[in-house]
Amino acid sequence: MATGKHYDVIIIGTGAGGGTLAYHLAPSGKRILLLERGGYLPREKDNWDSRAVFVESKYRAKETWYDKDGAAFHPGIHYYVGGNTKVYGAALLRFRKEDFGEVLHHGGISPAWPLRYEDFEPYYTKSEHLYHVHGQRGIDPTEGEAGAPYRYPPVSHEPRIQELFDDFRRLGRHPFPLPLGILLDEEEGKAVHTSACVRCPACDGFPCLVNGKADAQVICVDPALGHSNVELLTGAYVERLETNPSGRVVTKVIVTRNGAVEEYSADIVVVSCGAINSAALLLRSANEKHPGGLANSSDVVGRYYMRHNCSAFVAVSKDPNPTVFQKTLGLNDFYFRSEDWEYPLGEIQMLGKSDGEMLQGEAPGWAIWKPEFALGYLAEHSIDFWLQSEDLPDPGNRVSINPDGRIVLSIRESNLEGHQRLTAKLKAMLTEIGCHDQLMHRSLYLDKNIPIGGTAHQAGTVRFGRDPKTSALDVNCKAHDLDNLYVVDASFFVSIAAVNPSLTIMANALRVGDHLLERLGSTNDRK
Ligand SMILES: Cc1cc2nc3c(=O)[nH]c(=O)nc-3n(C[C@H](O)[C@H](O)[C@H](O)COP(=O)(O)OP(=O)(O)OC[C@H]3O[C@@H](n4cnc5c(N)ncnc54)[C@H](O)[C@@H]3O)c2cc1C
Ligand code: SF4
């Protein structure tokens, strides 16, 4: 690998966006370089150890960022080949059709996207097939039309979760099998002997020791590297991008690797570092022609940061909950409104099952107000939920760079009422169906003790749109201000809806990939 080498395409970052794009472009024969600051996530027993993963945060980046008041925090972020999908819960849901239009929330307006659900639909189907999404259409009343059925059957519920499913139905609700990207082949609730996924208890938030999770490394980067025209450099931190004198073309990608500075160039440069790091890279790349940061004549780069209003809860069932793989149920009955409120509340889904180690890690926070639940009882009776509601894009919620070059994240919470009501709805339902009247925060999953550090669903910092005055990217995710710069991670989001973001990032990467193939005068025989 010679520094200074020229490529057709450089992709910076190998997560949901960059990894999926690399997979799509690989068969074109074009010379493609992937630059990834992390390495491969080590495969070791600790991958499935709750203490190592949640209490000691072994796989999280050892990085310090700052809030708007200068207080330091450690973000919940992971730098590996495959990006944050290495630890994701693999819940892969489409935005609802309505999410692409303007939606009135209690806290304000969630703005319309420049494209419609119908523009994304074919790519949603392709990414569901690519990422082995297991699901079932026609049960969740909020879902949009789909061009094809799921290719894989829904992941079966274990008995206690099936009971929960039936109980919710009895309450008149519409629980549905959560669409999941895992390489599972099961019979009667057990993984068959050829199945990569073994339905273990350590999935959501953990790396998968046996490569059974449909993450961006396993599904996209590794197969892309099977093409001789694709190269990957790990440990390659992109410091900044340089342009030609007119400022219209990115001419150099400046990389620090093994302590040395290297330079690469390409006809097309795609940034996909995750919403916070992509904005930071563009801001760091300010030059005479782009004084406010690259691609930032609109001054939107770094702004409109979103991350969901979300909570991880432990409920305590009166019956034991021996479930191993718990993340199999979702509920969207309150997605748009509830019987007693006209605004959106959000989505409820299961979370990976908490165990003794995690609960012990949480215990100091809980003991104050709930001493009667012994940890052993909790571990046997806990049922875990993930609640997510929409936060609204606000120009004041932003990523910036301090004089030392460190990332600063400024956040003002928005639209919280819907989330509080969603929590109350869950609590009321659980109380009706045989759980104790308690929901306890699972702060280790969420970094709730430092709310600003909960960056798992980061999005929106390099938004796309038709108007260069109010967006940084055009509808193909090309920078309005430059001819060869694209961004394909969650940065392009205009709003975040109330579903997990990855499937929309993947679908968009395939969509942008089609545009790039056309621009390169090339094809992909998978199209
Ligand atoms: C615990 C957890 C659970 C989650 N569960 C779900 C879920 O169930 N469903 C869902 O849809 N989403 C889930 N998510 C969110 C999901 O992982 C992210 O939305 C998704 O990975 C974002 O994709 P991305 O391409 O925007 O960025 P990432 O996947 O973060 O990829 C960015 C990549 O860029 C690299 N990079 C960053 N800066 C540089 C640089 N300067 N130079 C070179 N490389 C760089 C990073 O190392 C990384 O590999 C979860 C996240 C976490 C942390
Ligand atoms: S449940 Fe399956 S995909 Fe998830 S970590 Fe376990 S083996 Fe891997």
Side-chain angles (χ1 to χ4, degrees):
M1 171 66 52
T3 181
K5 202 167 155 187
H6 188 82
Y7 293 83
D8 294 308
V9 183
I10 288 178
I11 301 173
I12 307 166
T14 59
T20 307
L21 179 66
Y23 175 86
H24 198 55
L25 298 185
S28 68
K30 297 291 175 187
R31 287 160 303 152
I32 299 166
L33 175 64
L34 306 182
L35 295 170
E36 169 54 57
R37 72 188 290 173
Y40 282 90
L41 194 143
R43 293 182 71 189
E44 55 193 10
K45 267 173 77 182
D46 273 356
N47 289 176
W48 280 349
D49 186 287
S50 353
R51 171 154 288 277
V53 172
F54 282 106
V55 183
E56 293 159 9
S57 304
K58 177 168 184 178
Y59 299 106
R60 198 193 291 179
K62 312 278 177 285
E63 205 168 60
T64 304
W65 294 353
Y66 296 89
D67 73 8
K68 62 179 185 316
D69 303 316
F73 69 95
H74 300 292
I77 200 159
H78 305 80
Y79 296 143
Y80 295 103
V81 178
N84 281 283
T85 67
K86 288 306 292 176
V87 297
Y88 76 167
L92 294 177
L93 293 101
R94 300 173 176 216
F95 272 29
R96 310 296 93 175
K97 195 170 180 167
E98 294 81 347
D99 290 325
F100 289 88
E102 186 176 286
V103 180
L104 180 61
H105 284 252
H106 179 256
I109 296 222
S110 167
W113 284 39
L115 297 175
R116 310 282 79 200
Y117 176 81
E118 290 71 21
D119 299 310
F120 274 77
E121 198 292 319
Y123 298 103
Y124 273 139
T125 300
K126 282 181 189 165
S127 21
E128 283 165 348
H129 291 176
L130 175 62
Y131 277 87
H132 291 244
V133 180
H134 290 57
Q136 189 173 357
R137 304 216 196 276
I139 299 187
D140 171 6
T142 66
E143 73 185 11
E145 304 88 47
Y150 284 111
R151 192 166 276 172
Y152 304 92
V155 177
S156 65
H157 301 303
E158 289 176 44
R160 181 67 186 94
I161 305 307
Q162 182 63 49
E163 208 182 324
L164 193 65
F165 188 94
D166 298 340
D167 284 342
F168 284 155
R169 291 286 285 265
R170 255 195 304 283
L171 296 181
R173 301 301 176 194
H174 303 83
F176 59 93
L178 194 63
L180 289 171
I182 52 179
L183 307 177
L184 174 68
D185 188 5
E186 60 174 348
E187 271 171 20
E188 293 173 6
K190 298 264 181 283
V192 302
H193 71 282
T194 49
S195 174
C197 166
V198 296
R199 273 195 83 119
C200 78
C203 194
D204 194 1
F206 295 82
C208 178
L209 178 56
V210 295
N211 283 343
K213 195 186 288 194
D215 64 44
Q217 178 222 317
V218 170
I219 296 296
C220 287
V221 178
D222 291 353
L225 291 173
H227 294 258
S228 57
N229 54 307
V230 182
E231 295 172 47
L232 165 68
L233 285 186
T234 56
Y237 174 73
V238 177
E239 290 275 358
R240 64 180 196 284
L241 307 176
E242 292 184 356
T243 68
N244 67 352
S246 76
R248 290 292 311 180
V249 179
V250 176
T251 48
K252 281 184 192 164
V253 177
I254 310 295
V255 173
T256 309
R257 193 165 67 105
N258 299 327
V261 177
E262 300 175 353
E263 294 177 9
Y264 298 94
S265 63
D267 293 349
I268 289 170
V269 174
V270 184
V271 173
S272 193
C273 301
I276 295 173
N277 275 297
S278 284
L281 172 58
L282 297 180
L283 294 172
R284 280 200 303 272
S285 303
N287 63 24
E288 209 176 292
K289 290 287 175 190
H290 299 272
L294 209 55
N296 196 21
S297 62
S298 59
D299 191 31
V300 304
V301 172
R303 297 185 182 274
Y304 300 103
Y305 169 70
M306 294 166 284
R307 53 160 194 170
H308 279 142
N309 290 327
C310 42
S311 306
F313 284 115
V314 173
V316 187
S317 164
K318 288 178 184 160
D319 296 326
N321 176 22
T323 306
V324 176
F325 186 82
Q326 185 174 251
K327 200 177 176 73
T328 56
L329 179 155
L331 190 123
N332 275 335
D333 290 78
F334 310 113
Y335 198 89
F336 298 117
R337 64 192 64 80
S338 62
E339 300 81 0
D340 52 356
W341 212 50
E342 60 189 304
Y343 302 105
L345 290 77
E347 181 177 272
I348 297 172
Q349 57 184 243
M350 307 306 297
L351 198 60
K353 174 94 174 68
S354 49
D355 63 14
E357 286 285 1
M358 292 181 211
L359 297 172
Q360 207 168 12
E362 303 274 9
W366 293 347
I368 307 161
W369 58 282
K370 209 61 203 159
E372 67 268 36
F373 289 142
L375 280 182
Y377 181 86
L378 276 181
E380 273 174 28
H381 291 76
S382 60
I383 310 185
D384 307 73
F385 292 92
W386 174 252
L387 272 62
Q388 60 196 357
S389 312
E390 193 161 346
D391 56 338
L392 300 173
D394 172 346
N397 285 353
R398 66 183 299 199
V399 180
S400 53
I401 304 291
N402 74 11
D404 303 329
R406 302 286 194 119
I407 289 177
V408 177
L409 200 51
S410 308
I411 292 182
R412 185 173 56 195
E413 293 191 313
S414 68
N415 202 28
L416 286 172
E417 168 104 19
H419 192 66
Q420 283 150 5
R421 285 177 179 256
L422 185 67
T423 310
K425 289 283 174 204
L426 174 64
K427 203 166 155 183
M429 286 193 300
L430 292 176
T431 309
E432 277 191 71
I433 62 172
C435 291
H436 291 280
D437 178 23
Q438 292 294 340
L439 282 178
M440 295 181 276
H441 276 288
R442 261 184 69 180
S443 42
L444 292 180
Y445 185 81
L446 244 195
D447 291 305
K448 200 72 187 183
N449 45 346
I450 30 172
I452 196 168
T455 56
H457 289 185
Q458 56 184 275
T461 53
V462 195
R463 50 172 26 194
F464 81 152
R466 296 190 189 274
D467 183 354
K469 291 198 182 68
T470 56
S471 58
L473 306 174
D474 69 14
V475 291
N476 292 319
C477 289
K478 183 187 81 63
H480 289 297
D481 300 344
L482 289 104
D483 299 330
N484 70 337
L485 178 67
Y486 290 78
V487 181
V488 297
D489 53 34
S491 307
F492 83 100
F493 281 31
V494 176
S495 62
I496 196 168
V499 294
N500 319 55
S502 296
L503 192 74
T504 300
I505 303 169
M506 294 156 178
N508 186 59
L510 295 181
R511 187 184 69 84
V512 173
D514 272 357
H515 160 79
L516 289 177
L517 287 172
E518 205 175 308
R519 176 171 170 167
L520 290 161
S522 188
T523 54
N524 157 348
D525 53 15
R526 291 197 209 100
K527 263 177 83 175

